[in-house]
Structures are given as C-alpha cells and as structure tokens.
Amino acid sequence: MTTGRAGLDLGTPARPSGLRLADVARSLGVSVATVSNAFNRPDQLSSALRKVVLERAEELGYRGPGIEGRHCGPGTRAPSRSTSQSP
C-alpha cells in the first residue's frame, strides 16, 4: 500500500520498485520506443509484437508507464495536484 502526502491510500504501486519501461525493452531486445508504443500507440506495432511485449511486461510485473510522466516532456513538470485556483 502506498500513501500520499495527506495520508490517503493510493493503492498498490503501478510497478515493482525500480522496474522501468527500459527494463522490459532490454529483456526483449527491443527499443524503449517499441515497449512504449505497445502501451500508448498500439497501432504502431503488429498485434503479434504487441502481445509479446505486454506478456513480458506482465511477467516482470510492469503495468505500464506511470501517469505522472505521461504529460511531461523535456523541461516540463508533472501537473500539480493542488486544488487551489490562481486569481
């Protein structure tokens, strides 16, 4: 169980500690982009390759990229969870 700043239960972590998308890619001998596409852009892969990638990810306990990084590019930050609004 993971708890947030306010002590709220955030559920089970999305992946085992330290396991990354790159680890899944390395275990299959494919690029990080291929694994990322299996989760985020399935139309970019054959259904057979996507199945192999997702099965290996599941075997390793990796459930996909964390939501914290989905909207972050170089030099950007994850959106704040603050509920206050600026004037």
Side-chain angles (χ1 to χ4, degrees), residues 50-64:
R50 182 171 189 254
K51 180 179 178 189
V52 168
V53 170
L54 296 179
E55 285 175 353
R56 177 60 59 88
E58 185 175 343
E59 289 171 9
L60 296 174
Y62 183 78
R63 296 190 207 162

Side-chain angles (χ1 to χ4, degrees), residues 57-79:
E58 185 175 343
E59 289 171 9
L60 296 174
Y62 183 78
R63 296 190 207 162
I67 195 156
E68 307 83 35
R70 287 187 187 220
H71 302 291
C72 294
T76 61
R77 295 175 50 193

Side-chain angles (χ1 to χ4, degrees), residues 1-4 8-17 61-68 81:
M1 175 176 75
T2 304
T3 56
L8 301 173
D9 178 7
L10 300 178
T12 305
R15 55 189 171 263
S17 178
Y62 183 78
R63 296 190 207 162
I67 195 156
E68 307 83 35
R81 293 184 182 234

Side-chain angles (χ1 to χ4, degrees), residues 11-44:
T12 305
R15 55 189 171 263
S17 178
L19 187 62
R20 299 180 350 229
L21 187 134
D23 299 320
V24 177
R26 191 176 308 107
S27 76
L28 287 167
V30 300
S31 70
V32 171
T34 297
V35 177
S36 177
N37 284 339
F39 285 96
N40 299 311
R41 300 185 69 193
D43 59 303
Q44 300 296 307

